[in-house]
Structure formats: C-alpha cells, structure tokens
C-alpha cells in the first residue's frame, strides 16, 4: 500500500511507515494513493460473508501484499471480537450499534485494529505506547493493547479530573498497561508527552509510539462496519440508504465515505454535529471559520477544528464527487435532550451522540428512503446525563459493573518531566 502526505504529495510512504509514524512532515495526514473499487457482483458476494472474512477482504484491498492475507485475517479476528448489530428503531430507521466492545464505544474498532497492526509491524522489537488522556481515548488505547506481546503502554491522565467510572475502566487492568495520575490538568499531561517525544534517547531506548487518533489504520478498520451494517439490511433498503454520522474529528465519516468509494451502495451521508458546527457552516456558506469550542452533552464531538476534514475533501476531489451532495445538520443540547426522550418513547434508549445523528437523519429522511444512524457509545457510558435527561436509572453492562469493584493500580507523579522520565526508564 502506498500513501501520500496531504501537505506534500512528494512524501510517499508504505502502510507500515504510515502506521508507525502516524503523521507526515508538517503534521500532514496520510491518504491512500490507490482507491480500490469492488464490482457490484463482488459487493453482493461480500455482503453474504461473515464480518471477519469480509473485513479482511476490505482491508487487504487497501493494504495489499504488505501483510499476507492469512496473517491479516488472524489480526482482524483478534481485533473485531465483538459484533456491530443494527437495531431497528422505526420501520424506516435503524441504529448501527458500535458500542459492544470493551470500552463501549466505536473507537474500540479502530483502536484494536491499530494495536494489531503496530504489533505486527514491530515484530519482536519492544514498543512503548505513551499517551495522555482526559478519559475516553485512554480507555480505548489501554484495552486495545492489553495483553499484547512486546508492548508496554503508559497512559497519563489528570489526577481527580476524570470520571470515577472512566478511571476504573482503564486503571484496573495491570499487566502491560501502566497508568499514571499526574498532579495537573490535561494540558500538563499532554505537555509531558510532547517532552517525551522530543527526547531522542528516551524515544530510541523505549521505541516510543503515540498510537495517534489520526492513524490511517484506524480509518481503514472503521470502513468495515459500514459494510457490516448494509449486510444486515433488507435488499430493497440498499440503494435507498442514508447514513447519519455523529461527527467530531470526522474520522468516522471519512471511513463511511471510503466504504462508498469501494462500492458500498449508500445514497448519501449526513454529517451531524452539535453546536460545534464548523463543517455544517462551511457546507452552507463555503467559508471555513472555526469558532471557540463549546462544551456540550455530546462532548466527544466538542471539536471546532476537525482534524480529518482534509481527508474528506481529498476523497471528494479524487472521486470527483460534489461536496454539495453531503448532507449536514447541527443539533443543540436542548434538541438533543428532546430527541433522546423521543427515542425513549419509541422504546430505544440512546445517549447524546447518537441522538444528534438521529435528529439530523429523521429531519432529512425522504419517503422511500431507509436511514441508519451510528450509535457511537453505550448509553451507560454517559450514565449521569442520560439518567438525568430520561429520568430513569441505567444499569451498567456486566463487564463495566465488574470492573467498578477492582482496585485502581495507577502510579502518582508530579507534572515534572524528570520524574516521568525516571519512571519510564526504570527498567530500561
Ligand atoms: C469520538 C466520538 C465521536 C466522533 O467521532 P469522529 O470520528 O471524531 O467524528 C462520536 N461519538 C462518540 C461517542 C465518540 O467517542
């Protein structure tokens, strides 16, 4: 597989290089040089296959001979160890539930596949993943790498500033996962990570890698569940399909568009955001004018400078698609709450991110069309706000309930690079 840097098309790298490096020069994103396409017959056949075999075929269409097919399939099987079911919400609307993985959010798909690819690529060479988190990404990274050979994971988080449940989710694992509560805020944690990556000796000795969220392997993994969704729909829904994607950094939407470029029958996509609506305003007015980020109920989408957007634009350019065919909507918190109650009345318990996507979908769906919205997180993940909005208590899924009783295994450190360095080098 060949990829190029969107900021400098002359920088071309292999899949292995793109995965280990994350970003190109000048922080440019990598984008596939070839955009494979399946024929109608091939897509039909693939939709009959099981999730893992089909996903291996999709991924190998991009990755090519850099990873042997059997090895890739084994890696996909290890990563995608949980289902992505479509739950019927109304006669013409379904929710693609992406929250049945270990951290109850869709980021498990991308995170776990990235972990498999990084460990495959580094072989027997030890790697240390160092990352800072304000909650969510840390849990996904920890679970994705948990128990993998030759990988050590160090996760920094601001002490006392993440939810107790979040902390339980990734600070109780032990084994190759080391969690460090820093006396400082999230920015202090990020600054420490940055200092570590600037320290050449540390980087070389430990084989530091950031497992960054813009990693190309995550995007490729996310393509697979769009196929899995269509495979579950009745045939007649296929060409009438509208998919609404709750968007923050627009990785998920990019993956959906890549699925369509492979030949998946999707009539149109809707980019659904909360009031952090840089993209909807851009699509409406043609001007890119990010505002200050606002805190909302759908906080994983509180992003005003979405970092995957250049990939969306590049794909439209390459495919000669028109941006004006991309649907969009922004949904405020009041409407999000009302929509969660509306879904509850339909017998479907939801959370703020999915509700944003459902609202955008319901308001735009035409007669004869079939709509899918992505359920990006389990409602229990946003227990406090969901309970307050719906006026009922939610029970935690079993894995989470069990974890809540385990002791925290975190280390404590001051926000001081020398201390972190010593901690990280203690066995080197
Ligand atoms: C990360 C996240 C999103 C946004 O996904 P992007 O790929 O960044 O657009 C939506 N919902 C939830 C629950 C998330 O964690």
């Amino acid at each position: 597989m060949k990829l190029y840097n969107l900021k400098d098309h002359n920088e071309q790298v292999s899949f292995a290089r793109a995965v280990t490096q994350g970003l190109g020069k000048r922080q440019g994103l990598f984008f596939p040089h070839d955009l494979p396409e399946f024929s109608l017959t091939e897509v039909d056949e693939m939709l009959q296959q099981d999730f893992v075999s089909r996903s291996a075929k999709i991924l190998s269409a991009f990755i090519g001979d850099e990873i042997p097919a059997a090895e890739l399939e084994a890696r996909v099987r290890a990563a995608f160890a949980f289902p992505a079911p479509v739950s019927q919400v109304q006669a013409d609307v379904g929710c693609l539930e992406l929250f049945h993985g270990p951290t109850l959010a869709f980021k498990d798909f991308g995170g776990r596949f990235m972990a498999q690819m990084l460990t495959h690529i580094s072989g027997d060479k030890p790697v240390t993943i160092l990352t800072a988190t304000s909650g969510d990404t840390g849990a996904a990274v920890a679970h994705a790498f948990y128990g993998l050979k030759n990988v050590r994971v160090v996760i920094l988080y601001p002490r006392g500033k993440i939810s107790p449940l979040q902390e339980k989710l990734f600070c109780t694992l032990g084994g190759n996962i080391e969690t460090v509560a820093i006396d400082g805020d999230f920015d202090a944690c990020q600054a420490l990570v940055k200092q570590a990556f600037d320290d050449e000796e540390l980087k070389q000795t430990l084989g530091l890698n950031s497992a960054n969220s813009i990693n190309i392997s995550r995007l490729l993994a996310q393509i697979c569940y769009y196929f899995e969704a269509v495979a579950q729909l009745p045939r007649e829904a296929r060409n009438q399909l509208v998919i609404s994607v709750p968007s923050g950094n627009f990785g998920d939407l990019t993956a959906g568009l890549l699925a369509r470029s492979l030949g998946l029958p999707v009539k149109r996509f809707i980019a659904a955001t909360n009031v952090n609506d840089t993209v909807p305003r851009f699509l409406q007015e043609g001007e890119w004018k990010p505002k200050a980020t606002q805190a909302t109920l759908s906080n994983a989408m509180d992003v005003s400078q979405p970092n995957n957007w250049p990939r969306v634009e590049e794909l439209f350019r390459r495919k000669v698609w028109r941006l004006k065919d991309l649907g969009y909507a922004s949904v405020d918190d009041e409407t999000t709450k009302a929509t969660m109650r509306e879904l509850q009345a339909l017998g479907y318990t939801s959370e703020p991110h999915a509700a944003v996507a459902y609202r955008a979908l319901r308001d735009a769906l035409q007669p004869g069309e079939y709509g899918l919205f992505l359920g990006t997180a389990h409602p229990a993940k946003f227990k406090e706000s969901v309970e307050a909005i719906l006026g009922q208590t939610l029970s935690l899924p079993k894995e989470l309930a069990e974890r809540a009783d385990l002791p925290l295994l975190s280390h404590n450190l001051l926000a001081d690079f020398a201390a972190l360095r010593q901690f990280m080098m203690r066995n080197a």
Side-chain angles (χ1 to χ4, degrees):
M1 178 179 192
K2 214 161 60 175
L3 302 105
Y4 56 92
N5 178 341
L6 287 182
K7 285 200 175 149
D8 175 2
H9 291 207
N10 291 323
E11 185 185 359
Q12 304 218 343
V13 297
S14 65
F15 175 69
R17 187 73 195 263
V19 170
T20 41
Q21 203 175 300
L23 283 165
K25 291 182 198 126
R26 293 167 45 218
Q27 310 285 306
L29 300 166
F30 289 120
F31 194 86
H33 184 277
D34 296 316
L35 293 172
E37 278 179 46
F38 295 117
S39 69
L40 274 175
T41 328
E42 281 174 309
V43 171
D44 258 357
E45 282 167 10
M46 287 164 73
L47 291 174
Q48 314 278 328
Q49 286 184 295
D50 65 88
F51 186 27
V52 169
S53 319
R54 183 196 319 114
S55 299
K57 186 169 164 132
I58 293 167
L59 291 161
S60 115
F62 280 100
I63 299 170
D65 56 12
E66 265 189 80
I67 303 181
E71 168 73 8
L72 184 61
E73 183 158 334
R75 295 283 177 171
V76 173
R77 193 175 303 284
F80 296 176
F82 44 89
V86 173
S87 184
Q88 199 70 30
V89 173
Q90 284 172 298
D92 59 347
V93 170
C95 177
L96 173 61
E97 296 186 343
L98 301 172
F99 48 72
H100 297 285
T103 72
L104 310 179
F106 82 92
K107 292 191 176 75
D108 283 328
F109 284 97
R112 288 168 65 91
F113 183 67
M114 174 173 62
Q116 290 293 331
M117 291 299 95
L118 266 175
T119 48
H120 168 79
I121 291 161
S122 40
D124 293 332
K125 237 176 60 218
V127 202
T128 301
I129 307 292
L130 174 66
T131 185
T133 185
S134 51
D136 249 21
T137 50
V141 168
H143 283 266
F145 287 95
Y146 182 53
L148 293 185
K149 253 186 19 206
N150 297 323
V151 189
R152 172 184 177 203
V153 176
V154 179
I155 303 178
L156 313 184
Y157 65 98
R159 184 152 95 152
K161 295 200 175 74
I162 67 175
S163 87
L165 191 64
Q166 293 263 13
E167 193 172 19
K168 287 285 187 180
L169 200 51
F170 71 101
C171 303
T172 54
L173 288 167
N176 63 331
I177 310 297
E178 298 169 25
T179 52
V180 185
I182 298 289
D183 272 323
D185 57 13
F186 176 60
D187 289 332
C189 298
Q190 269 194 312
L192 288 171
V193 169
K194 196 164 172 301
Q195 276 179 288
F197 279 91
D198 287 339
D199 184 328
E200 279 307 319
E201 190 199 343
L202 191 73
K203 220 159 106 180
Q204 292 308 324
T205 314
L206 301 177
L208 273 196
N209 189 293
S210 69
N212 208 308
S213 70
I214 43 67
N215 199 289
I216 191 71
S217 59
R218 285 181 184 261
L219 276 190
L220 297 183
Q222 289 173 244
I223 296 171
C224 301
Y225 52 66
Y226 287 91
F227 277 78
E228 175 66 1
V230 176
Q232 293 172 62
L233 300 182
R235 222 166 214 298
E236 55 281 9
R238 285 187 195 165
N239 285 303
Q240 288 302 321
L241 181 59
V242 180
I243 303 183
S244 178
V245 185
S247 298
N249 272 317
F250 283 77
D252 222 351
L253 183 73
T254 309
L257 293 164
L258 282 169
R260 184 165 70 174
S261 93
L262 276 169
L264 188 71
V266 181
K267 191 171 167 190
R268 69 198 142 87
F269 283 91
I270 300 175
T273 69
N274 58 32
V275 292
N276 295 289
D277 60 350
T278 308
V279 167
R281 282 187 294 110
F282 173 69
L283 293 171
Q284 171 88 43
E285 295 156 15
E287 277 183 87
W288 188 258
K289 280 197 281 191
K291 296 181 184 164
T293 308
Q294 293 186 51
T296 73
L297 287 170
S298 46
N299 56 35
M301 310 190 326
D302 291 350
V303 178
S304 52
Q305 312 224 36
N307 56 23
N308 270 299
W309 186 253
R311 283 178 166 147
V312 174
E313 289 199 334
E314 180 70 354
L315 185 58
F316 273 81
R317 189 184 70 78
R318 293 272 306 273
K319 300 297 288 188
V320 202
W321 292 341
R322 294 172 311 180
L323 265 181
K324 73 179 186 50
D325 294 333
L326 181 60
Y328 58 87
S330 87
V331 178
D332 65 21
D333 276 357
E334 280 315 305
T335 312
T336 302
K337 288 185 200 170
T339 304
M340 285 169 63
R341 294 188 196 109
E342 185 179 321
L343 282 163
Q344 186 71 2
L346 293 168
Y348 193 72
T349 304
S350 186
E351 51 73 45
H353 304 78
V356 164
Y358 174 78
R359 183 77 277 141
L361 178 68
R362 191 67 274 174
D363 291 349
L365 205 62
Q366 303 294 316
E369 291 180 337
Y370 183 87
L372 261 187
F373 64 106
L374 304 198
T376 44
H378 194 290
K381 196 148 190 174
F382 298 93
K383 200 172 185 310
E384 289 83 9
S385 63
V386 173
E387 287 183 340
I389 293 162
L390 299 180
Q392 62 171 62
T393 50
L394 284 184
S395 50
L396 290 180
K398 194 168 115 278
E399 318 82 61
L400 204 56
E402 286 168 0
R403 210 145 269 296
D405 296 330
L406 299 176
L408 294 174
L409 302 170
S410 296
H411 307 262
N412 288 313
L413 283 182
L414 296 174
D416 168 43
F417 181 62
L420 176 67
R421 193 176 198 283
Q422 191 181 20
F423 172 82
M424 294 194 63
M425 292 286 255
R426 72 193 186 281
N427 299 317

